[in-house]
Amino acid sequence: MKFLISMLINPAVLDALTDEEKAAIGDGHGKFIEALKKSGELIITQALVDPSQAVVVSVRNGQPVVTDGPFLESKEYLGGFYLIDCENKERAIELAAQIPDTAIEGLGIEVRQVMFADGQLEA
Amino acid sequence: MTTPAIEDLLRELAPQVLGALIRRNGQFEGCEDAVQEAVLAATVQWPVEGVPNNPRGWLVTVASRRLIDQMRSDHARRVRESATATEVVSEDVPDTDDTLVLLFLCCHPTLTAASQTALTLRAVGGLTTAEIAHAFLVPEATMAARISRAKQRIKAAGSSFSLPDGAEREERLRVVLHVLYLIFNEGYTASSGSELHRADLAHEAIRLARMVHAQLPEDGEVTGLLALMLLTDARRETRTTAAGDLVPLDEQDRTKWDRGLIDEGIELIKASLAGSALGPYQLQAAIAATHADAARAEETDWAQVHALYLILERIAPNPMVTLNRAIALAETEGPQTGLTLLSTLDGDERMAGHHRLLSVRAHLLEKTGDTAGAYEHYRRAAKATASIAEQRYLESRASRVRT
């Protein structure tokens, strides 16, 4: 079963962390990735740039309109994700719980099963 | 010989060659790599040079040479050793078929079900890592990591290459059957991806089940599982429309069911029910056979289906079985009785919010005339499923009861 583990971040919460705490998160992700590769459960992981670098594209009257940043009113953004292939939902939750972000108030980890997949697998 | 015929031959021989190598040298991991290389060499050479007179001996020779290549890094020695390996092997290819032992090894209890499945398909099914990865829609690197991990675990567990005895053998056989069942289901439940490759998996599961059955013809559950697979696979063509939409059992075109598979399945299950202690696979096969017996959906012997589910519920209690029994009960005693039985599942946390429970309840509510309740449950079921085909089906049901 494939699951997408999304890391929902609140930039204000991230900014408030100390350098040690930030480093610990980085280390935690590194170890998590190693463990997932060894167990054969990792398909891919990608981290996204800071939401301040994002733009929203919409098309009005056939003309693309680009505005700064995503939805300004929202506090949480997608910081990155893990796409995994594991035994069942319980295992996906067990894995997600190992992500260091889960220990920090204000950072969210969401687990959802993949329903349809297409594209190049050898990413 | 044509290439598909060579592929079939290789698939059949690969586990025998691997068994022979492990029996002589031990070390599952090294032998497995060597056999994969030998099989690869054969797929390149045989179509051009023709199939050797003793294909199994050829494979054992080449694989042994590869294995020794691996063991001896010293180049000078490598040449001498591989020459020796050729001599030894060509005269003495053991005649025992170790495939079953190999299957037991691949379904080692210390492995996860996903790893057991992958290793079985590679070592016993003779599929390449790329083929297995493709079938399970994961990158080759992911599958390679899983297989190599599985091989290390088997090595660490220090399993001897022999069939376990008594209770342990019985226990391991259940795991083997479960793995074959999982492989079959992966192939049969078309959720996404290339349908063709999924069908291959179902066929591979049937081939392996046939092989186990040939070696253990007296085991009722082995027979039951094979029968279940054949009876289920017989309906493949009619389960979806050309557009990929699901067709429920009662709306399938039964004239298109594969009669050959059905007859074989019914024959197998009859023989096993007469001869051995009942197990879950036999009962499920008997249920499938009851459905197959009805020329039209209305002629289904629901009383018998219900009785079989009742026995299944007793020997292998499981909320999914109760759910299925509720469907049969509704057919014999009316939808309200079915709904009453369903309500006993509400407290089961495995079933809470499960799309099967929601959709069966929707279906029975529809039959009682409660269209509002049916609509609500079809919609909730559609949201809860992870299968797009099922979601489309449930949404079409929902819009049908709404109008």
Side-chain angles (χ1 to χ4, degrees):
Chain A
M1 290 174 142
K2 291 174 194 63
F3 291 87
L4 187 74
I5 300 179
S6 309
M7 289 167 284
L8 303 168
I9 59 156
N10 182 327
V13 172
L14 272 193
D15 285 346
L17 296 175
T18 66
D19 287 349
E20 289 79 38
E21 284 171 322
K22 283 179 190 162
I25 290 182
D27 280 357
H29 278 283
K31 286 187 187 125
F32 184 62
I33 289 169
E34 271 319 299
L36 281 181
K37 277 185 180 168
K38 270 194 182 158
S39 65
E41 288 168 311
L42 180 68
I43 294 178
I44 196 172
T45 180
Q46 313 248 303
L48 306 178
V49 296
D50 190 86
S52 66
Q53 305 303 306
V55 292
V56 170
V57 179
S58 45
V59 177
R60 296 290 175 268
N61 301 321
Q63 292 296 314
V65 181
V66 177
T67 56
D68 283 345
F71 310 99
L72 293 175
E73 64 275 16
S74 71
K75 288 206 265 328
E76 281 84 21
Y77 301 90
L78 183 66
F81 65 84
Y82 287 96
L83 182 62
I84 60 166
D85 182 66
C86 66
E87 206 86 20
N88 50 36
K89 191 174 183 181
E90 286 68 35
R91 174 65 179 160
I93 292 170
E94 184 186 319
L95 288 171
Q98 294 170 19
I99 296 175
D101 307 34
T102 51
I104 295 165
E105 192 76 41
L107 300 183
I109 297 287
E110 182 200 60
V111 176
R112 277 169 77 190
Q113 193 182 339
V114 175
M115 190 169 187
F116 173 77
D118 198 357
Q120 181 57 264
L121 284 172
E122 301 305 317
Chain B
M1 198 182 273
T2 59
T3 311
I6 289 180
E7 273 177 26
D8 287 347
L9 180 64
L10 284 171
R11 210 156 269 189
E12 189 190 317
L13 291 177
Q16 299 177 21
V17 172
L18 181 54
L21 241 66
I22 298 178
R23 194 169 281 288
R24 194 175 317 139
N25 301 291
Q27 22 166 324
F28 179 84
E29 195 172 356
C31 293
E32 211 270 336
D33 288 335
V35 172
Q36 285 277 325
E37 285 185 39
V39 167
L40 267 176
T43 52
V44 175
Q45 289 181 32
W46 292 4
V48 183
E49 297 166 12
V51 176
N53 288 335
N54 177 358
R56 192 164 86 149
W58 190 96
L59 287 168
V60 172
T61 305
V62 173
S64 301
R65 210 180 286 154
R66 296 287 152 96
L67 182 65
I68 284 157
D69 276 353
Q70 287 166 18
M71 295 192 300
R72 310 254 182 249
S73 50
D74 174 18
H75 188 259
R77 274 182 115 174
R78 192 189 307 166
V79 176
R80 198 169 65 235
E81 291 286 353
S82 52
T84 321
T86 317
E87 282 163 28
V88 174
V89 168
S90 46
E91 68 190 55
D92 163 41
V93 177
D95 219 22
T96 52
D97 187 351
D98 290 326
T99 310
L100 194 62
V101 187
L102 197 56
L103 196 53
F104 272 69
L105 193 61
C106 293
C107 299
H108 200 280
T110 60
L111 304 179
T112 63
S115 295
Q116 290 170 337
T117 303
L119 200 58
T120 298
L121 285 172
R122 192 170 130 137
V124 192
L127 272 67
T128 63
T129 305
E131 287 173 316
I132 303 166
H134 196 105
F136 286 91
L137 302 174
V138 298
E140 198 176 334
T142 299
M143 195 49 84
R146 191 175 292 171
I147 290 173
S148 115
R149 187 88 162 159
K151 288 194 282 187
Q152 284 167 25
R153 281 207 159 199
I154 283 189
K155 192 176 164 192
S159 304
S160 64
F161 190 67
S162 58
L163 276 185
D165 293 325
E168 199 199 335
R169 176 172 171 164
E170 188 59 24
E171 180 65 36
R172 291 284 285 279
L173 180 60
R174 296 307 130 205
V175 180
V176 167
L177 296 184
H178 182 63
V179 167
L180 297 184
Y181 183 72
L182 290 180
I183 294 173
F184 180 80
N185 274 345
E186 186 67 32
Y188 193 70
T189 318
S191 49
S192 61
S194 159
E195 303 248 341
L196 181 73
H197 282 81
R198 295 307 180 94
D200 280 356
L201 273 188
H203 291 151
E204 183 58 22
I206 290 176
R207 192 183 72 82
L208 294 176
R210 279 189 192 284
M211 195 190 71
V212 178
H213 178 248
Q215 300 201 27
L216 300 171
E218 302 302 317
D219 188 288
E221 279 294 86
V222 173
T223 312
L225 179 62
L226 177 58
L228 176 60
M229 286 181 183
L230 296 174
L231 289 164
T232 310
D233 202 48
R235 299 185 207 141
R236 172 185 299 280
E237 287 287 299
T238 66
R239 285 177 70 240
T240 47
T241 63
D245 288 326
L246 277 190
V247 182
L249 185 59
D250 60 346
E251 290 170 24
Q252 290 173 10
D253 178 355
R254 296 180 180 226
T255 62
K256 289 197 178 137
W257 284 359
D258 188 323
R259 209 56 236 178
L261 291 180
I262 288 178
D263 291 343
E264 191 187 352
I266 290 181
E267 204 56 43
L268 283 169
I269 190 61
K270 268 190 188 157
S272 95
L273 286 178
S276 57
L278 275 180
Y281 292 122
Q282 285 157 283
L283 284 163
Q284 289 176 69
I287 291 163
T290 311
H291 286 297
D293 263 342
R296 298 184 308 140
E298 305 86 280
E299 292 167 19
T300 307
D301 186 347
W302 284 107
Q304 182 170 325
V305 172
H306 181 258
L308 289 166
Y309 273 122
L310 207 57
I311 307 172
L312 188 55
E313 206 177 21
R314 205 171 304 143
I315 66 167
N318 171 329
M320 234 17 122
V321 174
T322 308
L323 185 78
N324 284 319
R325 184 164 76 81
I327 300 172
L329 190 64
E331 293 287 342
T332 53
E333 313 225 345
Q336 198 54 55
T337 320
L339 284 167
T340 309
L341 179 57
L342 278 192
S343 63
T344 63
L345 293 173
D346 287 338
D348 193 315
E349 61 175 33
R350 287 170 293 181
M351 295 302 284
H354 196 289
H355 71 275
R356 283 276 290 145
L357 177 58
L358 292 165
S359 63
V360 170
R361 183 166 280 147
H363 178 70
L364 296 184
L365 285 171
E366 186 183 348
K367 286 196 162 190
T368 62
D370 178 358
T371 51
Y375 174 76
E376 162 75 13
H377 282 86
Y378 279 131
R379 292 281 307 202
R380 282 174 59 197
K383 284 194 180 120
T385 179
S387 150
I388 290 181
E390 208 160 52
Q391 188 174 66
R392 271 208 305 264
Y393 167 75
L394 290 165
E395 271 166 2
S396 79
R397 284 269 163 157
S399 47
R400 203 180 66 182
V401 293
R402 197 182 205 183
T403 49

